[in-house]
Amino acid sequence: MNKFTDTSNRKMAKLIKKKKHEIGLSPDELIFRGTKKTEKVLLRIIDFDANSLIEEVVKKVKDIVEFQYKDTVTWINIDGLHNTEIMQELATTFNFDSMVMAEVMNTDARPRVIEYDNCALITIKMLSQEGNSGDTIVENLSLILTESVLISFQERRGDIFEPVRERIRKQKKRIRNGGTDYLTFALLDIVIDNYLYVLSLLGEKVEKLEENLLVNPGKDVINQINSYKRELNFLRKSIKPAKEMIFSLAKMDSELITEATDVHFKELQDNISQASDVSDGYRDILSDQLNIYHTTISSKLNDIMKFLTVFSVIFIPLTFIAGIYGTNFEYVPELGYKYSYFIMWIVMIAVAIGMLIFFKRKKWF
Amino acid sequence: MNKFTDTSNRKMAKLIKKKKHEIGLSPDELIFRGTKKTEKVLLRIIDFDANSLIEEVVKKVKDIVEFQYKDTVTWINIDGLHNTEIMQELATTFNFDSMVMAEVMNTDARPRVIEYDNCALITIKMLSQEGNSGDTIVENLSLILTESVLISFQERRGDIFEPVRERIRKQKKRIRNGGTDYLTFALLDIVIDNYLYVLSLLGEKVEKLEENLLVNPGKDVINQINSYKRELNFLRKSIKPAKEMIFSLAKMDSELITEATDVHFKELQDNISQASDVSDGYRDILSDQLNIYHTTISSKLNDIMKFLTVFSVIFIPLTFIAGIYGTNFEYVPELGYKYSYFIMWIVMIAVAIGMLIFFKRKKWF
Amino acid sequence: MNKFTDTSNRKMAKLIKKKKHEIGLSPDELIFRGTKKTEKVLLRIIDFDANSLIEEVVKKVKDIVEFQYKDTVTWINIDGLHNTEIMQELATTFNFDSMVMAEVMNTDARPRVIEYDNCALITIKMLSQEGNSGDTIVENLSLILTESVLISFQERRGDIFEPVRERIRKQKKRIRNGGTDYLTFALLDIVIDNYLYVLSLLGEKVEKLEENLLVNPGKDVINQINSYKRELNFLRKSIKPAKEMIFSLAKMDSELITEATDVHFKELQDNISQASDVSDGYRDILSDQLNIYHTTISSKLNDIMKFLTVFSVIFIPLTFIAGIYGTNFEYVPELGYKYSYFIMWIVMIAVAIGMLIFFKRKKWF
Amino acid sequence: MNKFTDTSNRKMAKLIKKKKHEIGLSPDELIFRGTKKTEKVLLRIIDFDANSLIEEVVKKVKDIVEFQYKDTVTWINIDGLHNTEIMQELATTFNFDSMVMAEVMNTDARPRVIEYDNCALITIKMLSQEGNSGDTIVENLSLILTESVLISFQERRGDIFEPVRERIRKQKKRIRNGGTDYLTFALLDIVIDNYLYVLSLLGEKVEKLEENLLVNPGKDVINQINSYKRELNFLRKSIKPAKEMIFSLAKMDSELITEATDVHFKELQDNISQASDVSDGYRDILSDQLNIYHTTISSKLNDIMKFLTVFSVIFIPLTFIAGIYGTNFEYVPELGYKYSYFIMWIVMIAVAIGMLIFFKRKKWF
Amino acid sequence: MNKFTDTSNRKMAKLIKKKKHEIGLSPDELIFRGTKKTEKVLLRIIDFDANSLIEEVVKKVKDIVEFQYKDTVTWINIDGLHNTEIMQELATTFNFDSMVMAEVMNTDARPRVIEYDNCALITIKMLSQEGNSGDTIVENLSLILTESVLISFQERRGDIFEPVRERIRKQKKRIRNGGTDYLTFALLDIVIDNYLYVLSLLGEKVEKLEENLLVNPGKDVINQINSYKRELNFLRKSIKPAKEMIFSLAKMDSELITEATDVHFKELQDNISQASDVSDGYRDILSDQLNIYHTTISSKLNDIMKFLTVFSVIFIPLTFIAGIYGTNFEYVPELGYKYSYFIMWIVMIAVAIGMLIFFKRKKWF
């Protein structure tokens, strides 16, 4: 029970956000509004074009400066958002509006696309499965997209984007020839693939439940259904606004997104729609399961009650007969006959059998 | 029960999709993501115009090349998607974007229309009824539409499009004079007709259920309703996105679709809308049936309980009276009278009849 | 019960449509897909302008030819669709696209408007009340609208449009001066008026039910509510797509519809919206009635059960007391006193009255 | 009960409309389709501009003619619609399309705006509270708007627009300087204010119910909730299409409405939206109340049943014990001991107390 | 209970509004339609640009006049709306349309944006938590926006906007350089932040409830759920129209809002959407909690009833056996045997144990 309460709190906590002292802050105030999830901020750079590839981990923002003016695509991945100094330096280096970094540090914000003069900011929730506990982790991903640089901000260190790095390293033609917009697509594609993956993990649990439901619907089933419903609602909270965001991204008329990648963003739309469909599907299944559970339970209870009632009812006339001959009247003719007692037994058994047949015919048990 | 569990798993399985190792793959990677459903890939070609007709089965992609440059309409039907080599050759032969073939091989994708530079890709789910088991089979159909060639990809060998071939062979004027766009319409029309057919098969089962429901609502009825509901949901999962796709196809402003076929695509819209209406209709009927079932069951239970309770209640005062005269008080005046025992019986019968009349008047049973 | 099953089948049958052998037919194949509802095809012609009026029944299509080239408005009413020969002749005479007649003969199609090069096709479902049985009949009406000719196709012989003929005969100014578009409006107006009429007939039955519901909610009430719900759903199946059709007709930008009749088509929109509102209203009323019925029934059951339980409970301590003095202990002091038996009665009556007062105060019965 | 049935019929009657003989009538036939609600038709005229004001009651339509050509704003208020002669004269005098007056006389029509060549017709339902019975009365209001004349048609004599007349008499600047469009706004504003007023009267009743619900939920509560729900649905039937109408009025691009009054029509939109919101709010409250009622009732029943069951169950072992010592075996050792009877009592009391403690601990009553 | 009734009335009162005497008032009549919530009207002025800052409290409207013509941004904050004289003076001073001030004084109006010739009026509901009672207070905020002056009207004195004043005083660059549009954004941002804050306070209560629900679902839980549901509905009544307003504000094409602040208004949209999402989330949680509560309660009741029934049923055959040997037949062979009594006990115990095992196996308790 404890565990259940805990996870539910953890999840509900995502809905609660505004603290009193945060009200009225200037929107470009650089304050980290999330929970610090990693110790040290890590800056990883991959700089590439069709022919060249540089990959390194840098310590300071100024080590990035050189990449800014190159024609190549530069992908700066930053794990950890709590260091306001680094944020400030990034803003200065790339000449971002002061609001951009404030937005990045506000990890509670809704998924969205904002266009600024010299860049576009894309934020989305990443869902992943924690290895040990099997808990679903939500993390805010922010992407700042300029013509030749893509900066991605993650809250914790993770290797979620490793497949993309791998594709870059292996000289996959399309990604090495694409711009920052194609890289953006590749990253978002992984995020949405993870939605589908997390959904399918939940789906397997729901399937297993299905079998239990039909074989042996115990009390834990209802708790599990409720807990899966909650988990699903929790996932939907990320998927729904992400869908909105992806659709408005695909409609966006920005120079940062070339026509060639339009078709890829359409694919993103299809994938997020599919994620949304799948989550709808599981919601329907869970609500059907809940109905089946309730029907099963109540029909089982009805059967028990009917059995017990029929059982009781059969004894009622028998006990009545016994009561009759327990009376102490002086003149009860039946009492004197030698076989009365046995006749009483025969009558009782006849009554009982008669009632049983009657109930059986009426299909009452 | 076993069978039920199986089918439900099979159906739910359609919702689960993303495997961990698939996350982050390049979108133009040619990987077959479905289940291999046929042994050998079969390539069938029909090449026709108003006057000529060539129909043959080819072994290799290069046998197709010749048709490409002819003015006639060439319909290449390919059963089986797992051979990446053939896919690669097709892409090279027709100069398709590398993503096109990747899309075709991804059989889990949502129904959609994508326009590329030199072709349009249409994917839709085909529903058909398996002969023996009566199970509904879902299969992904992909159509690549160019100006003079239509390539259709099916997952398994089937004769679903035989009526169209027949119409081509019989020199039906319209189809022989039409272009690839009319051929596309003809194929999609068959797919949607099959939706309606599969729905009407389900409908017949629902109808039969209706009769059972009113005559003898046993426990299997609830299982059947739930199983039909699930089956219907399963069909709706294919019909709903197909409707979206057909509507966006009809709105598409492509040179590949001539104005003359516009009216046919409008017809497709009407047909898929009808399929959607019919599925809505059955959903309503099933949910009504569920309500009727629950009402019938609960009203039946109430009647039983009322009967049993009334029965018990009638004996309660009788047993009480017998109890009174079972007491061992020394001075109970009634015990000594000769006819007391008979009077007791008369009183008891009078009480019982009085209660019966009271309950009958109150319409309690 | 039999009757109920029958009507339900008849109604559900409307949802089931596609037969296996119909899949893949060419869309311009002239096949009558409905049920033959009249023996002989009847062709009635009314040809009129502001000054002249010709009304006759013709036997062959070629008798119509002459009217085609006149400046007058020609209304050809055809009862019966199963004669493909006549259909073919009509298509040739008026030079219709081959698909037009195929559409007319497909009586299962959804209400819709299709514009062709030289005509527009309007299909809608007509609802009418059968005289004897009170059953609602659905019939497909198709209108082919050209500049000077309006052809209306009905499945069975009927006098539903008699009021329009009457208005034409009586030289009503507006209809005699109007074109085929005004005539179209007049016919559709009658169809929609009939929707409202059929709805109001159902409404009267629902009203009567309302009274029964409050006075004496028997078991037939629930059957009636369910049957009316079904009937209403059945009507809504025709009204909903008709509404879509009328709205798209009013938006249509065709030369066949003059600006002067625009205001009339707006009126059609209002009327069909009203029909839709009324059907929504009855749906709400029926679902409220269902709730009230269930509440009434369950509250009645609760009252009975409470009464019976209270009744039983009152006897429980009394029977216990009698039991106590039925024991055969040698030393039970009370047994020897002369008035014990009477005291026992007094105690019993006191206990019973005490409990009655307690339950009454608690308002338990 | 009688009263309830009556009002429900009266209200439901609003949904039923089409009579058989009305089907197929020409749309410009001048037939009064409502119920005659006033004896004599009353024509009241107010003619004003910023400086002058004429107010009089005329007997015949021809007395109005003179005002038609003046530059002033003329407001003709007509109470009673059943006099077709007057209607005809009005149409001739102002040169209205013959359909306009037919529309005005059709009091069952849906709220709507229709633009004609030389005028616009606005119809809306007026809600008002009848003084004595507290019943809500629905009346159709039609406004014909021309450049300098506004004709308002009411079904019965009423002083609902008295505040507007007062404002005109008191030389309120805005209304005296405004045109017919501002006057239209002023009248519609009163109609919508009355929606809010009627809603708030219902709201007060709902509030009172709320208190009853928590203090003493008797059976009349459920009847009241259902009756208020019905009343609210009835109001919503007027408010919903009125909202549609007001919004389409505000969007209308007519010369009859000057830019200066645009802001007022926006205000109308806000007010009708508010009325719609308030009605939504009460619907939610009523449906919550229904839930609370059912929960309260069922929880109360459960408590009673639990109490009675626990009570019965406590006596069951006691009666059993008494039964044991009521047996007539020759050798029952306990029967001979002197204190057996008292020991039996002690055991019984101990068992009863033990069970009570057990049930209490389990919180079963 | 009393408290509950009170708060519910207070909240419902917000829905009721229109008083009879208010119907038909001229829309520019300066009448205070709210409840007087502060004694004296307070006028606070902050006048600033990037370099200068004047902050003062004035007594009369004419003290404001001087600021009107300055190039600086002037923010006039007015607490209290009941003084019509001041309102009149403000209108004259700033040359506002007479309707503007009437709108400001109508505190029951729906949140909205209205553009006038020389200003824009924005109204929104402010939510705040009262310190002592924890009650949520709703207050109407009106903002009149001109090119260089922003007038904000509050119903009661409050320091809700203190953070903005602080930012102005501390020379925060952005706010000191921004115009009245940026100031408007800053104020609205605080209002929406307060929505989120009030929601999160409710959220904490809902969370606590969650724990109670799982540990010990008493009767107060249902009352709390219902009261939180109502509170949430109450908040949603403010949030929903505010969302509409913010979205129409962001779409508004006014010169008063510079392009530079567009991005801020987009942020407002995101924040209000988030508030709306969060409120949806809590609604779902509360409705889930209600379901869980009902399931828990009913499953607990079922368990009790099952236990009690099983308990009773076990005694039924035992009491029957005792009854048999309580009969007074002369020839009952068993009565004479010496060990009959003990054998009866053994049989009884065996029957009881047998039944217990049977029920246990069937998992009936």
Side-chain angles (χ1 to χ4, degrees), chain D residues 228-260:
Chain D
Y228 293 162
K229 250 175 95 174
R230 189 164 295 190
E231 203 173 326
L232 190 64
N233 274 337
F234 177 59
L235 299 182
R236 289 167 65 84
K237 292 261 142 63
S238 294
I239 293 172
K240 201 185 115 194
K243 190 176 167 188
E244 281 177 35
M245 187 277 275
I246 296 286
F247 272 77
S248 75
L249 181 65
K251 262 183 294 180
M252 202 172 71
D253 188 32
S254 167
E255 299 141 24
L256 293 168
I257 294 166
T258 58
E259 236 175 85

Side-chain angles (χ1 to χ4, degrees), chain B residues 207 210 270 274 282 328, chain C residues 12 16 108 112 230 325:
Chain B
E207 256 185 273
E210 184 93 4
D270 284 322
Q274 195 168 36
Y282 285 127
N328 298 315
Chain C
M12 287 214 323
I16 301 158
D108 287 335
R112 53 179 156 170
R230 188 165 296 190
Y325 296 105

Side-chain angles (χ1 to χ4, degrees), chain B residues 4 11 222-232:
Chain B
F4 186 63
K11 274 161 198 174
I222 186 89
N223 285 339
Q224 272 181 292
I225 293 178
N226 278 322
S227 119
Y228 293 161
K229 251 175 96 175
R230 187 165 297 189
E231 203 174 326
L232 190 64

Side-chain angles (χ1 to χ4, degrees), chain C residues 48-62:
Chain C
F48 63 87
D49 60 9
N51 307 310
S52 72
L53 170 70
I54 303 169
E55 196 176 352
E56 56 183 272
V57 173
V58 299
K59 293 241 165 101
K60 294 190 176 149
V61 174
K62 65 180 176 186

Side-chain angles (χ1 to χ4, degrees), chain C residues 87-128:
Chain C
M87 291 297 167
Q88 192 57 59
E89 281 174 29
L90 277 170
T92 330
T93 307
F94 292 100
N95 198 21
F96 291 146
D97 189 303
S98 59
M99 268 185 73
V100 177
M101 302 320 287
E103 287 291 343
V104 167
M105 291 178 83
N106 177 8
T107 57
D108 287 335
R110 247 182 144 235
R112 53 179 156 170
V113 191
I114 315 178
E115 269 196 271
Y116 294 93
D117 281 350
N118 58 349
C119 67
L121 172 69
I122 297 166
T123 65
I124 194 170
K125 303 287 168 200
M126 288 199 292
L127 297 176
S128 57

Side-chain angles (χ1 to χ4, degrees), chain D residues 210 213-215 217 288-289 291-297 299, chain E residues 1-5 7-8 11 202 205-206 209 212-213 216-232 286 289-290 293-294 297:
Chain D
E210 184 94 2
L213 188 65
L214 291 164
V215 176
D288 275 3
Q289 285 183 346
N291 279 332
I292 292 173
Y293 174 80
H294 283 306
T295 309
T296 313
I297 284 297
S299 121
Chain E
M1 195 64 94
N2 234 18
K3 207 214 141 204
F4 186 63
T5 321
T7 53
S8 75
K11 275 163 197 173
L202 177 61
K205 285 189 274 177
V206 172
L209 187 66
N212 278 337
L213 189 64
N216 176 27
K219 264 189 198 163
D220 48 327
V221 167
I222 186 88
N223 285 340
Q224 271 180 292
I225 293 179
N226 278 322
S227 119
Y228 294 161
K229 250 175 97 173
R230 189 165 295 190
E231 203 173 326
L232 190 64
L286 279 170
Q289 285 183 346
L290 208 63
Y293 173 80
H294 283 306
I297 284 297

